[in-house]
Amino acid sequence: MMIPLSTVLAGGAFVALSAVNVALMLEASRPDCSPTLKRRLIRFHRIGGYLFVILLCVMVWIMSQRLVGFGLSKAPALVVVHVALAVLLLALVGLKLLIARRYKHLYSMLAQVGTAIFATSFVLVSLPLLSQVLQASSPTGLRLTPALPFAIPLCLVLYLLATKRSKKHAMEVTRPRVLLAPPGGAALTNSQKGGAGSMTLLLAHIEQQTHDTKTLRFLLPEGTSLRARPGQFLTFHWFIKGKRVTRAYTISSSPSHAKYVEITPKRVENGSVSNYLHDEAKLGLTVEATGPHGKFFFDETVHRSIVLIAAGSGITPMISILRYIDSLRLPTHVTLLYCVRSRNDIIFGAELERLQNSVPGFHYSVTLSQPDDNWTGNKGRLTQEYVFGHVNDLDRPMYFLCGPRGFMENARHILTCLGVDEERITEESFGERQITSPTLVKAETIEFVRSQKICASSPNATLLEVAEANGVQIPFGCRQGQCGTCATQVLVGSVDMETDAGLSADQKKGGFVLCCVSRANGTVIVAA
């Protein structure tokens, strides 16, 4: 008995609907998917899901009637298997709805469950076609039936759709990893302005966070895509009173936002840039920026459980990480320990409350060193007892530290005393680095080996400045010794380096220096 054409077409539509729903879900989970597009994709996914459930219920009812007509003991094996697959589909759909509605901390499983629904639907529809093909075979060879021409294109189209989508998704997932491989490597695409790896940002919104902290939202240029990881920073090149001033600021928005990027600078005493941003920056301001930079970032493929320890404006990379986890509905377990002076110094207080309710695996605690009489939360500074009281499993998480240098040294000491492995602790300094005038040194010459140039060095010029003045190409990012992009090995001689924050332990042992903050002390030979 041949399968009616209408049945074949209905089955194809049923499987295609399942494939489209999976594609919509994967597309909405992309980190660079804008919030507006994401909402639309999710809406279409829900509509498609309801249609799928309706079709499935109709199919199960029709199959159950067939089973009743045959009787369970006399039903053909194909009918029994068909009904069993339909029941399995119902169970999978029910599981998907349960996760989506009630167990949101398991959101990462939705893609796997959706794929299982698609695969089961495909088998359910293919079985009758395969059965007819087998029945049509003869001892002299396979005799094609009218249903077979519909089966082959259906299988081919579904296979191509599945493989194309999986390859595209794999490229999207892996590409940021490749771009981030170099220390502080920038990752910009399309319409880049202002030079290689740079772009021009437009100030579109200003929000007061605390008495001395503001959030500035900058729109990305049309056609530009910024591939950042939560926790990284951008280097901004400001023009203040006719002078070009470079400062690095952590991205405080989630990298999942494709149209804009936010920073949250804190006013710093005698800080030329921070005071400018707080007192003079107006909507419509444009600024050149490069990046993203930094090795301090959250990676959801590696970090399943994290502890964020921040002080003051060190909360900025942490809020980016939390917003990213929230926007992608990641099942990451997160604990935030936030230390500030007073209640008025809590940055993103309302946002933390929202995230506490939105992210199932998120818990945070704020401690004040100078609390008021009405403060009922934790009081005092970061201590071993405070950490131990809020982190149940010390051996599992990755620890992220951000705040003043002394704070991070104390936090690292506390963690190591609690038995935390040094390899699971990463830290990031922040804010405008206060640069004091260095002691005048006598620099004779700097030899750049790979570039085959020997250059005279002016007093107090950094290695990077000497290189730029003489056409020696040394990649750089923040120009503040934080991102590690300009790390270069010194072969002979010594330098005075203001900070080694951007160097790894292996680089320090190997004689690498940060050219942007290093000044030659006499004759120096470097590998650049």
Side-chain angles (χ1 to χ4, degrees):
M1 180 179 178
M2 287 180 50
I3 301 176
L5 176 60
S6 59
T7 302
V8 175
L9 294 178
F14 180 70
V15 177
L17 186 59
S18 175
V20 168
N21 280 343
V22 173
L24 289 172
M25 181 170 52
L26 293 175
E27 193 71 20
S29 66
R30 288 173 49 185
D32 59 346
C33 182
S34 67
T36 302
L37 178 59
K38 184 175 183 178
R39 285 193 295 270
R40 290 176 181 173
L41 291 173
I42 292 175
R43 188 182 303 118
F44 287 131
H45 174 75
R46 287 175 179 169
I47 294 173
Y50 293 141
L51 292 175
F52 181 85
V53 171
I54 293 172
L55 285 176
L56 178 59
C57 291
V58 172
M59 289 176 60
V60 170
W61 183 81
I62 293 174
M63 291 176 187
S64 65
Q65 295 304 305
R66 291 180 62 194
L67 193 61
V68 171
F70 282 112
L72 186 60
S73 60
K74 298 180 180 180
L78 178 62
V79 175
V80 175
V81 173
H82 221 212
V83 173
L85 285 173
V87 173
L88 175 61
L89 260 182
L90 280 176
L92 288 172
V93 171
L95 176 62
K96 185 171 181 290
L97 290 173
L98 198 61
I99 293 174
R101 298 295 182 183
R102 186 171 179 82
Y103 299 103
K104 294 187 177 182
H105 62 288
L106 300 176
Y107 257 45
S108 59
M109 294 178 58
L110 288 178
Q112 291 90 328
V113 176
T115 304
I117 291 173
F118 165 72
T120 307
S121 303
F122 182 79
V123 174
L124 181 67
V125 171
S126 301
L127 271 180
L129 298 175
L130 179 61
S131 174
Q132 184 170 345
V133 169
L134 294 175
Q135 290 175 6
S137 61
S138 65
T140 59
L142 183 66
R143 180 167 57 87
L144 296 179
T145 67
L148 190 57
F150 295 101
I152 294 177
L154 175 63
C155 296
L156 182 60
V157 169
L158 292 175
Y159 172 76
L160 291 176
L161 284 174
T163 54
K164 181 180 179 181
R165 177 60 202 168
S166 62
K167 289 178 181 178
K168 181 180 178 183
H169 185 62
M171 289 175 64
E172 289 166 351
V173 171
T174 56
R175 190 180 292 117
R177 307 284 180 259
V178 176
L179 289 169
L180 289 169
L188 288 167
T189 61
N190 307 327
S191 304
Q192 295 173 339
K193 301 179 181 180
S198 67
M199 56 185 168
T200 301
L201 303 178
L202 174 68
L203 181 58
H205 181 71
I206 301 175
E207 179 182 356
Q208 191 78 38
Q209 294 290 345
T210 66
H211 63 285
D212 60 357
T213 308
K214 286 184 176 181
T215 291
L216 309 179
R217 175 178 294 183
F218 294 89
L219 299 181
L220 296 173
E222 189 69 28
T224 298
S225 175
L226 177 64
R227 295 183 181 275
R229 301 298 295 166
Q232 289 190 303
F233 62 90
L234 293 176
T235 300
F236 292 82
H237 307 282
W238 312 93
F239 280 93
I240 302 176
K241 296 180 180 179
K243 294 183 178 180
R244 181 184 173 96
V245 184
T246 299
R247 290 290 185 273
Y249 284 101
T250 300
I251 300 170
S252 57
S253 54
S254 169
S256 60
H257 294 298
K259 301 298 183 182
Y260 66 85
V261 63
E262 293 178 343
I263 61 173
T264 306
K266 182 177 181 179
R267 184 188 293 274
V268 178
E269 185 178 358
N270 299 322
S272 58
V273 175
S274 70
N275 290 338
Y276 169 77
L277 294 179
H278 277 264
D279 299 334
E280 301 181 43
K282 306 297 181 184
L283 299 183
L285 170 72
T286 59
V287 60
E288 180 188 336
T290 58
H293 306 292
K295 295 174 284 186
F296 180 94
F297 60 82
F298 165 73
D299 185 347
E300 67 271 22
T301 64
V302 178
H303 306 138
R304 306 299 182 186
S305 175
I306 59 176
V307 174
L308 313 176
I309 302 178
S313 59
I315 191 67
T316 49
M318 311 309 191
I319 203 71
S320 177
I321 293 172
L322 289 168
R323 286 168 166 171
Y324 181 77
I325 291 173
D326 181 43
S327 62
L328 268 65
R329 295 293 181 181
L330 299 176
T332 312
H333 185 274
V334 191
T335 299
L336 169 65
L337 304 181
Y338 186 25
C339 305
V340 292
R341 238 190 333 263
S342 68
R343 191 196 300 262
N344 294 332
D345 295 308
I346 300 175
I347 308 173
F348 301 114
E351 179 78 349
L352 292 174
E353 285 292 330
R354 183 191 71 79
L355 291 167
Q356 176 93 308
N357 298 322
S358 178
V359 180
F362 174 49
H363 162 74
Y364 82 98
S365 173
V366 176
T367 182
L368 304 185
S369 59
Q370 299 176 12
D372 55 70
D373 295 337
N374 297 323
W375 177 254
T376 58
N378 198 80
K379 303 174 183 178
R381 301 184 182 275
L382 187 73
T383 64
Q384 186 170 317
E385 292 75 20
Y386 181 56
V387 174
F388 189 74
H390 290 279
V391 183
N392 297 326
D393 185 3
L394 290 167
D395 296 328
R396 184 185 175 197
M398 183 71 179
Y399 295 82
F400 292 82
L401 315 180
C402 190
R405 177 59 55 185
F407 170 83
M408 290 191 294
E409 290 175 355
N410 179 52
R412 180 178 286 272
H413 176 71
I414 288 173
L415 293 175
T416 53
C417 287
L418 289 172
V420 176
D421 194 328
E422 286 270 2
E423 294 183 355
R424 290 192 292 108
I425 304 174
T426 181
E427 61 184 48
E428 175 79 310
S429 58
F430 68 97
E432 293 188 27
R433 189 165 48 85
Q434 300 299 313
I435 301 177
T436 57
S437 298
T439 304
L440 292 178
V441 295
K442 180 183 178 182
E444 297 178 1
T445 58
I446 300 175
E447 180 178 349
F448 298 96
V449 175
R450 281 197 296 271
S451 302
Q452 298 182 350
K453 289 190 176 183
I454 299 177
C455 312
S457 174
S458 59
N460 298 321
T462 65
L463 298 184
L464 180 59
E465 290 168 345
V466 175
E468 290 175 324
N470 291 275
V472 177
Q473 299 298 318
I474 296 179
F476 66 91
C478 66
R479 301 186 78 104
Q480 297 187 75
Q482 302 298 322
C483 68
T485 306
C486 63
T488 304
Q489 190 175 25
V490 172
L491 304 176
V492 176
S494 64
V495 301
D496 293 328
M497 185 164 51
E498 295 176 21
T499 177
D500 61 359
L503 295 175
S504 66
D506 290 339
Q507 287 176 322
K508 293 175 185 177
K509 293 178 183 177
F512 282 77
V513 300
L514 299 166
C515 292
C516 65
V517 292
S518 296
R519 294 169 173 82
N521 190 4
T523 298
V524 172
I525 301 176
V526 298

